[in-house]
């Protein structure tokens, strides 16, 4: 028989139990990943790639819930299995022609890169990005006539695979596809560029009919980079001394103004409620006078706070969905647009965070977690030989080293801009040496260079030691597995014939 004391104890335990459940539910709803609309781009244009499984672990540790990929690399897709991270996987521009002409080709791609991973506990694929900024002005209409057919074939392939209701095809487009006239430079006057207007509206119509979002890449940094008279504070989110008035609307940052220029363009096209996803937005940390850690942190923290506030923009109140650009630095990106192109990462090339960033909006005093277990090459550097007196031909050797490596940090306003001639040469030699794998013959430069074990870094100018190739261990394991299989087969054969 239970006494009153027993009943009171049981009641107290039940109350505590249900209290814990309620608290847990409230806590989970506050940090519910589905309520956080901040994703990140993961590019892989790098000479030395981190092991994808370690990068996925880092993303999970830091609370990244969405990721946008630029192609369906098998190792990355496999690393994402079971992670629950929502994925936008892309089809590169060079595949658009074949994708537009052949529905079977689209079926094959979808089967190999989407269906293969779309199962319970697999990869949580949400979108397929068809191309990347195919209407960019720099492409001179190369993809203008093939983007829509490619988009249709991919979405139809998803439909045939039974995935069309869950996974949508979209086209990430650059913000240069719309503009406001110089005579009335306000967001509400925005419209699609005349030369691509018809093609763009056809894409919008198809996306709308298939309940897919319009994806746009917006870069406030480029507004500042391309215009020396652009007001600095208008590029950020923490107030502006140069607000833009558009009727009853007031804009205090260029992102809202740019976004609402797109809203106006879509409205003029007849799609005022079209869903919008910002596929890329970010700020670089080097390669330009305005590209530094301080500005990058200010901008990225500002846009995260702006998104998590769920206030939207003056013309489109409500929730915003964005993907930060980018997760990691990429030293093999083209620097034709600017030396900053290799420095968009929130994390360094080796997975170390460049600055603190609160992804939750909860103002937690917690730095970003790095990629753990990174293996580096030996701690040695290639520098200008201090014993060499005759420096004839040095400029030629520096040019050669930089042409085959990443010397963007030496540019005007960059982190290594204040180095001496000796420092410039050493930095160039070392970047080449590291990217080539630290081979002895890669630190020659006609007798001008020498290997040192003493770190030549100066202040903010870091001379990196490159990470070891992330694929080498996997390759060795595969080879070992094959050899073991062959050995096992030989043993079985010998047993059978003996």
């Amino acid at each position: 028989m239970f006494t009153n004391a027993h009943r009171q104890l049981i009641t107290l335990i039940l109350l505590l139990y249900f209290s814990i459940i309620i608290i847990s539910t409230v806590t989970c709803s506050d940090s519910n990943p589905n309520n956080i609309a901040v994703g990140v781009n993961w590019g892989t244009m790098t000479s030395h790639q981190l092991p994808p499984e370690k990068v996925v672990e880092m993303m999970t540790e830091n609370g990244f819930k969405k990721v946008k990929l630029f192609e369906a690399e098998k190792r990355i897709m496999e690393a994402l299995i079971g992670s629950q991270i929502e994925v936008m996987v892309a089809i590169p521009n060079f595949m658009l022609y074949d994708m537009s002409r052949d529905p079977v080709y689209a079926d094959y791609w979808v089967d190999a890169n989407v269906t293969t991973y779309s199962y319970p506990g697999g990869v949580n694929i949400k979108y397929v990005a068809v191309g990347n900024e195919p209407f960019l002005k720099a492409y001179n209409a190369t993809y203008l006539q093939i983007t829509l057919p490619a988009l249709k074939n991919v979405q139809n392939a998803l439909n045939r695979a039974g995935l069309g209701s869950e996974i949508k095809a979209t086209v990430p487009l650059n913000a240069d596809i719309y503009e406001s006239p110089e005579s009335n430079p306000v967001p509400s006057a925005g419209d699609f560029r005349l030369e691509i207007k018809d093609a763009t509206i056809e894409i919008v119509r198809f996306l709308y009919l298939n309940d897919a979002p319009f994806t746009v890449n917006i870069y406030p940094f480029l507004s500042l980079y391309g215009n020396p008279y652009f007001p600095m504070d208008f590029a950020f989110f923490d107030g502006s001394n140069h607000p833009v008035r558009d009727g009853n609307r007031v804009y205090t940052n260029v992102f809202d103004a740019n976004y609402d220029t797109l809203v106006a363009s879509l409205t003029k096209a007849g799609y005022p409620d079209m869903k919008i996803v910002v596929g890329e937005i970010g700020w670089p940390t080097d390669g330009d006078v305005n590209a530094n850690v301080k500005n990058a942190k200010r901008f990225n923290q500002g846009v995260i706070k702006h998104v998590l506030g769920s206030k939207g923009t003056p013309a489109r109140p409500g929730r915003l969905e964005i993907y930060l650009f980018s997760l990691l630095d990429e030293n093999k990106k083209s620097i034709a647009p600017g030396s900053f192109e290799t420095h968009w990462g929130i994390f360094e090339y080796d997975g170390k965070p460049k600055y603190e960033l609160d992804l939750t909006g909860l103002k937690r005093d917690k730095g970003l977690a790095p990629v753990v277990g990174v293996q580096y090459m030996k701690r040695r550097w290639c520098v200008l030989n201090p014993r060499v007196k005759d420096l004839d031909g040095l400029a030629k050797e520096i040019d050669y080293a930089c042409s085959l490596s990443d010397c963007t940090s030496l540019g005007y306003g960059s982190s290594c801009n204040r180095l001496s001639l000796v420092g410039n040469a050493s930095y160039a030699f070392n970047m080449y040496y590291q990217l080539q794998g630290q081979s002895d013959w890669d630190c020659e430069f006609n007798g001008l260079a020498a290997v040192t074990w003493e770190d030549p870094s100066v202040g903010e100018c870091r001379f990196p030691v490159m990470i070891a190739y992330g694929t080498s261990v996997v390759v060795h394991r595969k080879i070992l597995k094959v050899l073991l299989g062959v050995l096992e087969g030989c043993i079985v054969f010998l047993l059978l014939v003996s």
Side-chain angles (χ1 to χ4, degrees):
M1 294 292 293
F2 287 114
T3 64
N4 286 334
H6 286 137
R7 292 191 180 95
Q8 289 174 357
L9 181 60
I10 292 171
T11 302
L12 180 60
I13 291 171
L14 289 172
L15 285 172
L16 287 171
Y17 174 75
F18 286 112
S19 296
I20 290 171
I21 290 177
I22 292 171
I23 291 172
S24 299
T25 304
V26 172
T27 303
C28 289
S29 65
D30 287 343
S31 59
N32 188 347
N34 294 323
N35 293 331
I36 299 176
V38 177
V40 67
N41 285 267
W42 180 2
T44 57
M45 297 182 69
T46 178
S47 60
H48 294 63
Q49 196 173 132
L50 288 164
E53 57 275 7
K54 291 187 178 295
V55 177
V56 171
E57 289 173 5
M58 176 269 283
M59 292 171 61
T60 303
E61 176 69 19
N62 286 307
F64 287 107
K65 305 300 181 183
K66 302 181 181 184
V67 67
K68 178 169 166 277
L69 307 175
F70 291 91
E71 56 184 304
E73 292 189 36
K74 185 177 180 182
R75 287 193 64 208
I76 291 178
M77 296 298 287
E78 289 177 348
L80 286 164
I81 292 174
S83 68
Q84 298 184 338
I85 295 174
E86 185 181 288
V87 177
M88 180 188 293
V89 62
I91 297 169
N93 287 342
F94 72 85
M95 297 178 68
L96 292 182
Y97 180 76
D98 290 332
M99 202 70 68
S100 69
R101 290 171 58 87
D102 188 357
V104 176
Y105 186 78
D107 285 332
Y108 173 80
W109 189 92
V110 166
D111 181 64
N113 300 293
V114 180
T115 308
T116 297
Y117 303 102
S118 297
Y119 56 86
V123 180
N124 181 20
I125 301 174
K126 180 72 175 293
Y127 302 116
V128 174
V130 182
N132 184 46
E133 301 184 335
F135 290 179
L136 195 68
K137 287 181 181 179
Y139 292 149
N140 296 318
T142 300
Y143 306 105
L144 190 61
Q145 302 302 323
I146 63 175
T147 300
L148 179 60
L151 173 66
K152 288 181 176 179
N153 282 342
V154 172
Q155 186 61 61
N156 290 336
L158 290 169
N159 295 342
R160 285 191 290 271
L163 300 170
S165 61
E166 302 169 4
I167 303 174
K168 302 297 181 180
T170 183
V171 180
L173 295 165
N174 189 276
D176 74 349
I177 64 167
Y178 51 86
E179 58 192 2
S180 295
E182 292 184 8
S183 59
N184 189 24
V186 294
S188 62
D191 203 351
F192 294 116
R193 281 196 348 253
L194 186 60
E195 64 270 26
I196 61 167
K197 185 173 182 177
D198 291 342
T200 303
I201 292 176
E202 285 187 46
I203 287 176
V204 171
R205 184 181 297 112
F206 183 81
L207 293 173
Y208 189 83
L209 291 174
N210 285 275
D211 196 27
F214 186 97
T215 305
V216 62
N217 300 339
I218 300 176
Y219 283 104
F221 169 80
L222 296 181
S223 299
L224 189 63
Y225 177 77
N227 182 0
Y229 303 104
F230 191 88
M232 180 81 169
D233 59 337
F234 196 59
F236 298 92
F237 295 87
D238 46 9
S240 174
N241 297 319
H242 305 84
V244 171
R245 296 188 178 275
D246 184 5
N248 295 326
R249 296 168 183 155
V250 178
Y251 292 88
T252 59
N253 66 81
V254 69
F255 169 78
D256 282 356
N258 191 305
Y259 190 97
D260 282 357
T261 304
L262 172 59
V263 171
S265 304
L266 291 168
T267 300
K268 287 183 175 68
Y271 300 91
D273 58 344
M274 181 80 194
K275 181 182 177 182
I276 298 172
V277 170
V278 179
E280 297 177 23
I281 184 170
W283 199 281
T285 56
D286 209 350
D288 181 69
V289 66
N290 293 311
N292 52 60
V293 167
K294 181 181 178 182
N295 284 345
K297 179 179 179 179
R298 178 186 176 189
F299 179 83
N300 282 334
Q301 193 63 74
V303 73
I304 290 171
K305 182 179 178 181
H306 189 52
V307 168
L308 297 183
S310 296
K311 294 181 180 179
T313 64
R316 181 72 75 85
R319 175 175 169 168
L320 296 166
E321 184 174 357
I322 70 166
Y323 291 83
L324 294 173
F325 190 88
S326 179
L327 186 65
L328 300 159
D329 278 350
E330 299 173 80
N331 62 7
K332 300 298 286 185
K333 285 194 71 179
S334 168
I335 59 171
S339 295
F340 52 82
E341 280 294 334
T342 58
H343 303 283
W344 288 99
I346 299 169
F347 294 79
E348 301 277 5
Y349 68 98
D350 58 356
K352 290 180 181 177
K354 298 179 182 178
Y355 47 87
E356 292 184 359
L357 203 61
D358 178 14
L359 299 171
T360 66
L362 300 177
K363 298 181 180 180
R364 293 173 177 169
D365 186 18
K366 178 184 177 184
L368 293 171
V371 174
V372 297
V374 177
Q375 296 183 0
Y376 295 85
M377 295 181 186
K378 294 179 180 178
R379 284 185 57 81
R380 60 185 184 185
W381 298 261
C382 180
V383 298
L384 181 65
N385 191 336
R387 298 179 180 179
V388 173
K389 303 302 180 184
D390 184 3
L391 298 181
D392 287 345
L394 180 61
K396 181 180 178 181
E397 297 300 328
I398 292 174
D399 287 344
Y400 174 77
C402 287
S403 69
L404 296 172
S405 63
D406 180 12
C407 294
T408 52
S409 294
L410 294 174
Y412 172 73
S414 301
S415 59
C416 299
N417 180 225
R418 294 182 175 85
L419 293 179
S420 63
L421 175 61
V422 172
N424 284 336
S426 294
Y427 187 89
F429 291 170
N430 184 64
M431 290 304 295
Y432 177 87
Y433 176 67
Q434 300 295 338
L435 264 63
Q436 297 301 319
Q438 292 190 353
S439 299
D440 291 340
W441 54 84
D442 290 320
C443 190
E444 292 286 345
F445 298 101
N446 283 326
L448 293 173
V451 173
T452 180
W453 297 87
E454 183 177 345
D455 188 348
S457 298
V458 180
E460 293 182 354
C461 180
R462 311 307 299 169
F463 282 57
V465 171
M466 192 52 63
I467 61 174
Y469 283 101
T471 57
S472 60
V473 174
V474 175
V475 172
H476 292 161
R477 284 178 179 172
K478 286 183 177 179
I479 292 173
L480 180 60
K481 190 174 182 180
V482 171
L483 291 175
L484 287 174
V486 172
L487 180 61
E488 183 180 352
C490 293
I491 292 172
V492 171
F493 176 78
L494 290 172
L495 289 174
L496 290 173
V497 299
S498 60

